[in-house]
Amino acid sequence: MKYERIRNFINGNFKPVSSARTLIITSPTDGTPLAEMPCSSAADLDEAVNAAKAAFPAWSKMPIKERVQVFFRYKYLLEKNLQELAELVSEENGKTIGEAIAEVEKCIELTEFATSLPQLITGEVLEVSKGVECRTSHVPLGIVAAIVPFNFPAMVPNWTIPNAIALGNCMIIKPSEKVPLSLTIIARLLKEAGLPNGVFNIVNGDSEIVNAICDHPDIEAVSFVGSTKVAKIVYRRATQNLKRCLALGGAKNHLLVLPDARPDMTAANVAASMSGCAGQRCMAASAMIGVGAVDHIVEKICAEAKKIIPGQNLGAVISRESKERIERYITEAENAGAKILVDGRGITVIGKENGTYVGPTVIDYVTPDMAIAREEVFGPVISILRTDTLDEALIIENASPYGNAASVFTENGGLARYVADNASAGMIGVNVGVPVPREPFSFGGWNESKFGVGDITGKSSIEFWTKLKKSTTKWNPEAGVNWMS
């Protein structure tokens, strides 16, 4: 193995896990075995929770202006160690080094936002009656947990780590069992930044740990990012155990392309959106709806797709199983009558023959009833559906059970506003292929792309990671008794 056996991070130290169940972590880039990961048990989770419980009283009582000093230092350390972390993200996830660098840069932005939290949770004070004052304050929840996916080994953990911890909570994080290595660097940097022992803990494992997190009586809140199927399971199990839960699921994002869209800009955006991170992101363009005469734009999309070369500017998909599943979707669409304009099946990269690559794929004349039009493919594939009118396109978009993102490409402001008002998605783009909001705005979709109320990122995440305390104070006994007292 290239790296030593994976260990949990508990109470400020990396601890070996004794387990008969182990998984081999393999690089999708070239098939290199990277490390052996033991699957933790509920007893390992108990140890992490006990460390967090011991750390919570002192950490939660520290003024937030002092807590965020850790994240000023953590931001500096992320910048200093950007290349090391990016290389590990690329190695274990399969994305290009450029994409991995961008991921770490997003971690830096997320951390920068967390350092602003003291200015955002000042609370409210109002004299509600003569000599009577009401005040609100945000109080930490206690022990919280985050269950994170394989597609962004560093960024998605940093959706939750800086905000939840800066707001006074102590955290347990469960990495994806496919990409556990990047979080070891993050743990090391947090400790170097001065985060007290026990405030941040990592417990590695598979579904057994996910279930244990949902069931643990001392964990107050759970965040999850992953597939819709598992998001539903986590949300139901956590809330059944009376926890707060926000579970973000999958997506089927639609790009509506109108005939007046700028061809070059639209083609470049569509191609980049469907192929970035090998299509393994819940904001990737998955379905394009061409409204009217858009053949000239489709031709340019194909030309852009052919510039995307596996192993160069296109990374690998996460596993052999994923590669086979994606290629099966393409073949089924072709057999059902769709036309493959650019075919990414059967790709082998010279020198990386054991890597799991799927080339950029453009499929035209897809119909709404096809599986590839309805289901999340999670690969560098764009399905093109055709309609005569914008309202027909919106009917297709609205029929999707998902609701992360929808974008429209047009030069007509009125039509852009019409799409923004009528698309059933939580994040809307106008001439933007990946409409991810940046801080202080939160990330989050609608429908079966999100389960729970609130956000785990951005300014509105304050409401999820804290509970609100209201205090009413009276200092004027001479005012007498009224209905308030």
Side-chain angles (χ1 to χ4, degrees), residues 103-254:
E103 177 172 345
V104 180
E105 288 173 341
K106 181 63 178 178
C107 297
I108 293 167
E109 182 189 26
L110 290 160
T111 305
E112 180 182 82
F113 173 75
T115 63
S116 72
L117 286 171
Q119 283 67 52
L120 299 177
I121 64 161
T122 52
E124 299 174 306
V125 180
L126 180 66
E127 187 180 43
V128 295
S129 185
K130 186 65 176 176
V132 179
E133 175 186 281
C134 283
R135 175 187 299 267
T136 62
S137 57
H138 293 273
V139 178
L141 296 177
I143 314 307
V144 300
I147 303 164
V148 295
F150 75 81
N151 57 335
F152 288 93
M155 185 194 75
V156 173
N158 277 280
W159 276 358
T160 60
I161 293 168
N163 286 9
I165 293 178
L167 289 166
N169 301 292
C170 293
M171 173 170 277
I172 315 293
I173 196 162
K174 188 264 174 202
S176 165
E177 58 269 33
K178 297 176 181 178
V179 292
L181 290 163
S182 297
L183 265 168
T184 63
I185 294 182
I186 289 170
R188 188 191 82 208
L189 299 184
L190 285 167
K191 181 166 184 173
E192 188 177 345
L195 191 68
N197 293 346
V199 174
F200 175 74
N201 305 273
I202 301 173
V203 180
N204 292 285
D206 54 11
S207 58
E208 180 180 338
I209 290 300
V210 173
N211 292 333
I213 286 172
C214 293
D215 294 344
H216 203 290
D218 292 322
I219 294 176
E220 300 291 338
V222 177
S223 71
F224 172 87
V225 181
S227 70
T228 288
K229 178 183 177 181
V230 181
K232 287 180 179 180
I233 294 170
V234 169
Y235 182 76
R236 289 179 177 131
R237 188 157 185 160
T239 55
Q240 184 180 10
N241 285 299
L242 307 180
K243 303 182 191 305
R244 290 188 185 188
C245 184
L246 260 172
L248 306 186
K252 191 71 182 177
N253 303 317
H254 292 76

Side-chain angles (χ1 to χ4, degrees), residues 426-450:
M427 292 170 281
I428 303 296
V430 177
N431 297 321
V432 176
V434 184
V436 175
R438 299 182 67 176
E439 277 59 38
F441 301 100
S442 62
F443 181 98
W446 289 1
N447 309 327
E448 293 202 354
S449 292
K450 176 181 173 182

